[in-house]
Amino acid sequence: SGIERLMKCIICLGYLNKNSKYPHTKSIKTHDLIELKNDILKDYFSKKVPALQEDYDFISKDQDLMKLIYLLSEFVKFARYYNLDIITGAEKPSIDVKQLWQEYETQLLLNSDYDFEQLLDPEKGKEAYEFISRELVVKIELFIRALSRQFTLGELGAKAKQFSSPVYPFLMMTDD
């Protein structure tokens, strides 16, 4: 929900900067993170400095990030009701995000240089979990940093600069 709120803040501030008023509530009622991300990239994401262009490329082209945002979005929209849908026999049950999440984690391992021999060692099984967790956190933090930079380096307006202090820790993050 924090990522969703951050994206909605960017849309509101960008809209305010362009139109001197905030958008209508209906236009930001969605819980679809992909739709929000695409709206930001299309209408409110400045690429006027090299760092912002790199951010744009990362947000729009990184396949792992796209899959991660999709999974988070689907969870927010539907998956929290998956078990209830199955029990109640819903005609169109929501997707099984748990299964999709496990597939995503497996793909992260397969696409990395992770030493799979460690998975066979019960003493090192926790390391795979830690590796996956670290990879996910890095993707999410880079995504939030890219969005956060719009508050100060982008073209969201003076009000966005005033509200940049909550995202300051992400502004100061380095790639490593």
Side-chain angles (χ1 to χ4, degrees):
S1 70
I3 294 171
E4 178 183 334
R5 289 178 185 166
L6 175 62
M7 290 195 286
K8 287 179 178 181
C9 286
I10 290 170
I11 291 169
C12 287
L13 292 166
Y15 191 93
L16 174 67
N17 188 50
K18 287 183 175 185
N19 302 291
S20 300
K21 64 180 183 177
Y22 288 107
H24 192 278
T25 305
K26 283 188 240 179
S27 67
I28 58 169
K29 280 272 188 172
T30 184
H31 296 294
D32 188 330
L33 301 181
I34 295 170
E35 181 181 332
L36 293 169
K37 176 190 73 116
N38 291 340
D39 287 350
I40 289 169
L41 289 176
K42 182 174 65 109
D43 296 327
Y44 307 112
F45 202 95
S46 172
K47 300 174 272 185
K48 68 180 185 174
V49 296
L52 297 179
Q53 180 63 53
E54 290 173 16
D55 290 342
Y56 181 87
D57 292 342
F58 170 66
I59 290 176
S60 63
K61 296 177 183 173
D62 187 281
Q63 295 300 312
D64 286 335
L65 177 65
M66 286 185 209
K67 182 70 173 183
L68 179 58
I69 293 172
Y70 166 77
L71 290 171
L72 293 172
S73 184
E74 291 304 302
F75 177 79
V76 168
K77 291 188 301 185
F78 305 111
R80 56 188 161 176
Y81 301 112
Y82 176 76
N83 292 333
L84 186 60
D85 288 347
I86 297 300
I87 291 169
T88 60
E91 288 183 30
K92 187 178 177 190
S94 54
I95 65 168
D96 184 357
V97 172
K98 183 177 180 181
Q99 176 189 343
L100 293 175
W101 191 264
Q102 289 170 341
E103 292 169 8
Y104 178 71
E105 288 178 341
T106 301
Q107 201 60 48
L108 276 178
L109 284 173
L110 292 173
N111 291 342
S112 73
D113 57 356
Y114 185 78
D115 179 10
F116 287 97
E117 302 247 340
Q118 292 183 26
L119 292 174
L120 302 174
D121 183 351
E123 302 280 323
K124 296 184 179 182
K126 190 172 118 180
E127 290 179 19
Y129 171 77
E130 290 170 354
F131 174 83
I132 292 168
S133 295
R134 185 173 50 256
E135 292 297 308
L136 294 174
V137 168
V138 166
K139 287 286 181 199
I140 291 170
E141 286 179 344
L142 289 175
F143 178 58
I144 294 171
R145 180 188 70 180
L147 294 175
S148 298
R149 284 180 175 170
Q150 292 299 312
F151 282 79
T152 55
L153 299 176
E155 298 172 359
L156 297 178
K159 186 72 89 175
K161 287 179 180 30
Q162 290 175 354
F163 291 125
S164 65
S165 61
V167 296
Y168 183 78
F170 290 98
L171 293 171
M172 302 315 299
M173 290 178 60
T174 59
D175 288 344
D176 60 341

